[in-house]
Amino acid sequence: MRLKVQTSLAIISVFAIFTRISAAETICNGTELSVYDDLDIGGLTEKPCTKVFGDIVIANLNGGKRMSNYWTIEELYGSLFIVNTTNLGDSVNLQNLQTIHAAESPALVIRNNRGLRLAIGARLGHVSTGSNITYWLTDNWPAAMTESEHYTLFMASDKNRPVFYTDNHFTTRQCDGWYYKLWTFVFGTLCVMVSCALIGLSFYGRREKTKKGI
Ligand SMILES: *[C@@H]1O[C@H](CO)[C@@H](O)[C@H](O)[C@H]1NC(C)=O
Ligand SMILES: *[C@@H]1O[C@H](CO)[C@@H](O)[C@H](O)[C@H]1NC(C)=O
Ligand SMILES: *[C@@H]1O[C@H](CO)[C@@H](O)[C@H](O)[C@H]1NC(C)=O
């Protein structure tokens, strides 16, 4: 009986901590995080947004920017558009993004960017959209995302087969396990051989030294 009470108290306190954490969310409207030219940057919200309702549009920017307000976003109820930018570099960082629930546009629309390196974190786990295209990634040079980020996008989609509308030719597939096993075997064998050789050498070395010492 006592144990039960303690257990339920423990559960309640854990629950309380969790609700406290989730209460720390900051809700923003996508328009507060949208920019249509370089001058709009100053008007970006200063709030540490965690939940965003509405589309985020980042368009017509030139050069690297300080846009730290995307870092905190965890949930996006809308789409993310990044279009017509040059040399943004890694200014747009979405390391904490966990879910995207887009309405009728693709979840991501990344079009016509030069020198954009979009940072999408591995936390992204749920992506859904009412569009028949899940991700639209075209006309970016170099490719806006790495292959592993493509893989994250692939795995995050709530659909079994997300639709990529893209001109990147990444092959997103799982690694072949046997390949790594083979190399592990080769290196393992090599290590054992080298160890044996070293042990042998050290024995000989010592004997010779003692001989010389005499
Ligand atoms: C966001 O703000 C705009 C105007 O500032 C408004 O029209 C729109 O409905 C808002 N969106 C949401 C999802 O609240
Ligand atoms: C991006 O550029 C194209 C062509 O230059 C233009 O049609 C489009 O409206 C631009 N998009 C935005 C969001 O400004
Ligand atoms: C997606 O839907 C649009 C109409 O909403 C249609 O025109 C288009 O052909 C569809 N594309 C695919 C790939 O199914």
Side-chain angles (χ1 to χ4, degrees), residues 185-206:
F185 176 74
V186 169
F187 278 114
T189 315
L190 260 176
C191 283
V192 170
M193 277 160 60
V194 168
S195 309
C196 287
L198 282 177
I199 290 167
L201 270 180
S202 66
F203 270 121
Y204 276 113
R206 206 181 277 170

Side-chain angles (χ1 to χ4, degrees), residues 1 5 17 41 57 62 71-72 76 80 104 110 119 136 144 146 153 159 164 173 180 183 191-192 197 204:
M1 184 61 201
V5 171
I17 290 167
I41 296 283
V57 181
N62 278 295
W71 175 273
T72 49
L76 171 60
L80 172 68
E104 67 269 18
I110 317 291
W136 184 310
T146 63
L153 294 183
K159 265 192 216 157
F164 282 82
R173 65 190 170 91
Y180 292 99
W183 282 108
C191 283
V192 170
Y204 276 113

Side-chain angles (χ1 to χ4, degrees), residues 29 31 53-54:
N29 181 324
T31 53
F53 289 91

Side-chain angles (χ1 to χ4, degrees), residues 6-194:
Q6 277 176 351
T7 316
S8 45
L9 272 180
I11 290 171
I12 287 170
S13 52
V14 165
F15 193 72
I17 290 167
F18 267 101
T19 40
R20 246 239 182 106
I21 288 171
S22 61
E25 69 186 17
T26 306
I27 296 176
C28 297
N29 181 324
T31 53
E32 298 176 89
L33 287 162
S34 295
V35 287
Y36 294 88
D37 62 46
D38 286 337
L39 295 178
D40 285 347
I41 296 283
L44 279 172
T45 182
E46 298 281 323
K47 289 189 284 182
C49 306
T50 53
K51 251 188 190 181
V52 179
F53 289 91
D55 296 343
I56 297 176
V57 181
I58 298 170
N60 313 317
L61 301 185
N62 278 295
K65 303 278 184 288
R66 247 186 67 80
M67 297 158 85
S68 49
N69 22 29
Y70 299 105
W71 175 273
T72 49
I73 301 170
E74 291 170 7
E75 296 170 50
L76 171 60
Y77 293 85
S79 302
L80 172 68
F81 294 85
I82 304 182
V83 287
N84 304 348
T85 70
T86 48
N87 301 320
L88 260 192
D90 56 6
S91 307
V92 181
N93 189 313
L94 295 157
Q95 287 300 328
N96 287 306
L97 189 60
Q98 291 162 14
T99 55
I100 305 176
H101 294 292
E104 67 269 18
S105 298
L108 295 179
V109 180
I110 317 291
R111 290 177 73 170
N112 190 28
N113 302 288
R114 297 287 167 274
L116 169 71
R117 287 233 67 91
L118 182 62
I120 293 271
R123 290 184 186 197
L124 188 63
H126 292 286
V127 175
S128 65
T129 170
S131 166
N132 53 10
I133 294 170
T134 322
Y135 307 109
W136 184 310
L137 314 164
T138 55
D139 289 314
N140 302 296
W141 185 261
M145 272 183 255
T146 63
E147 191 158 351
S148 78
E149 284 173 328
H150 270 233
Y151 189 70
T152 302
L153 294 183
F154 184 83
M155 295 308 282
S157 173
D158 286 349
K159 265 192 216 157
N160 282 338
R161 288 182 176 276
V163 178
F164 282 82
Y165 185 80
T166 181
D167 48 14
N168 290 334
H169 296 288
F170 284 149
T171 50
T172 304
R173 65 190 170 91
Q174 280 172 309
C175 315
D176 294 323
W178 68 266
Y179 183 79
Y180 292 99
K181 277 185 197 145
L182 176 69
W183 282 108
T184 311
F185 176 74
V186 169
F187 278 114
T189 315
L190 260 176
C191 283
V192 170
M193 277 160 60
V194 168

